[in-house]
Amino acid sequence: MTTATPPTISLHQLSLHYTLGASRIEVLRDVDLQIPAGQRVAVAGPSGSGKSSLLLLLAGLERPSSGRVQVDGVDLASLDRDALADLRRDAIGIVFQSFHLLPSLTALDNVALPLQIAGDPQAFDHARELLQRVGLAPRLTHYPSQLSGGEQQRVAIARALVHRPRVLLADEPTGNLDDHTAALIRELLFELHRDSGSTLVLVTHDLEFAARCDRVLHLHDGRLHERPRPVAQPHALPA
Ligand code: ADP
Ligand code: MG
């Protein structure tokens, strides 16, 4: 049985490299990190610094070249494919950079799918409820191609949260959105985080986002550095 307590994420001497033909790309080198349950962590860093790769490792969607990823005290390397899939289904929600919605499914079907796979008889009720929560009640039967970028992002967030994961991983969730929509998505993610008490790891360049997290980490040259948190600016100073 799983507990209701959010897990701690723990990385130990984590390294990742990709081999392309004769060349080897070092992405992460000896990364150590502990994320206590319920913490909000922002990860920043230049393009290509390995932010998305780090999230994939945390989700068990990529295997480290060396080192360990532990979620809830479980070393992901000790799990076979099925056990990893179970962990993702039960404990981890992920919002991908490019949404990854299934184009042939409506918004409602996209969000209900993870619950249907898990055999939840109330899959559609839960999916509908969450889509209403993210302001998409009038868009339930729309297909991704009929939705704006911000709407697709909200569907992706609803889908990532519908099974009440204890870890939410989000890859630049406001990266492709205008300022107004980005602000809506920020509020939504923090509101949902507050309600669920989940652990949140957020890849972002958005300083407003980072300022509201408990910690800010910076990836550079394969290394992870802790940065002082930017100070939130509640009021813009007059010019
Ligand atoms: P970021 O999200 O910070 O922009 P990524 O994690 O996507 O960075 O990529 C880090 C580096 O790894 C980049 O140089 C990228 O080209 C490379 N990379 C990412 N995925 C693969 C892959 N599947 N095969 C080979 N190289 C990859
Ligand atoms: Mg990326």
Side-chain angles (χ1 to χ4, degrees):
M1 210 180 84
T2 52
T3 70
T5 315
T8 303
I9 292 172
S10 162
L11 306 181
H12 181 72
Q13 291 287 295
L14 187 72
S15 296
L16 177 70
H17 63 256
Y18 293 112
T19 310
L20 283 178
S23 67
R24 183 171 138 129
I25 304 167
E26 302 279 352
V27 182
L28 299 172
R29 296 166 212 252
D30 301 331
V31 169
D32 285 304
L33 178 67
Q34 304 279 335
I35 305 179
Q39 199 169 58
R40 294 162 300 183
V41 178
V43 179
S47 175
S49 60
K51 305 179 298 297
S52 296
S53 302
L54 181 67
L55 286 196
L56 293 178
L57 287 164
L58 293 180
L61 289 166
E62 186 71 74
R63 297 265 181 189
S65 307
S66 60
R68 274 204 317 271
V69 180
Q70 283 177 298
V71 175
D72 241 352
V74 175
D75 184 346
L76 298 191
S78 71
L79 303 176
D80 63 19
R81 261 175 74 122
D82 288 348
L84 254 183
D86 286 349
L87 178 81
R88 274 202 299 275
R89 196 190 60 211
D90 295 339
I92 298 175
I94 179 159
V95 181
F96 294 96
Q97 208 165 355
S98 48
F99 317 139
H100 284 209
L101 298 176
L102 294 171
S104 60
L105 297 185
T106 63
L108 183 62
D109 289 336
N110 262 287
V111 176
L113 188 64
L115 294 181
Q116 285 183 289
I117 292 171
D120 184 337
Q122 291 181 302
F124 286 98
D125 294 335
H126 291 313
R128 203 174 287 116
E129 195 182 308
L130 205 50
L131 280 164
Q132 280 164 358
R133 181 97 194 267
V134 301
L136 289 178
R139 297 283 183 277
L140 299 182
T141 56
H142 284 56
Y143 291 90
S145 63
Q146 299 170 322
L147 298 169
S148 71
E151 288 168 343
Q152 290 182 50
Q153 189 62 296
R154 282 184 276 165
V155 175
I157 290 170
R159 183 187 53 186
L161 287 165
V162 74
H163 60 302
R164 301 175 188 277
R166 285 166 289 133
V167 175
L168 179 64
L169 309 172
D171 199 351
E172 304 197 34
T174 57
N176 303 312
L177 305 176
D178 61 76
D179 289 351
H180 175 71
T181 312
L184 285 178
I185 297 288
R186 268 200 304 271
E187 290 312 316
L188 181 67
L189 268 177
F190 283 120
E191 189 186 312
L192 295 166
H193 170 267
R194 249 195 329 272
D195 294 353
S196 65
S198 57
T199 305
L200 182 62
V201 183
L202 200 63
V203 168
T204 189
H205 295 290
D206 183 335
L207 289 179
E208 296 265 338
F209 238 151
R212 289 176 59 181
C213 289
D214 303 304
R215 277 163 95 180
V216 179
L217 306 172
H218 197 85
L219 259 181
H220 189 68
D221 283 340
R223 309 263 180 195
L224 198 55
H225 306 276
E226 192 109 24
R227 282 278 169 95
R229 223 155 45 97
V231 178
Q233 299 286 335
H235 303 291
L237 293 172

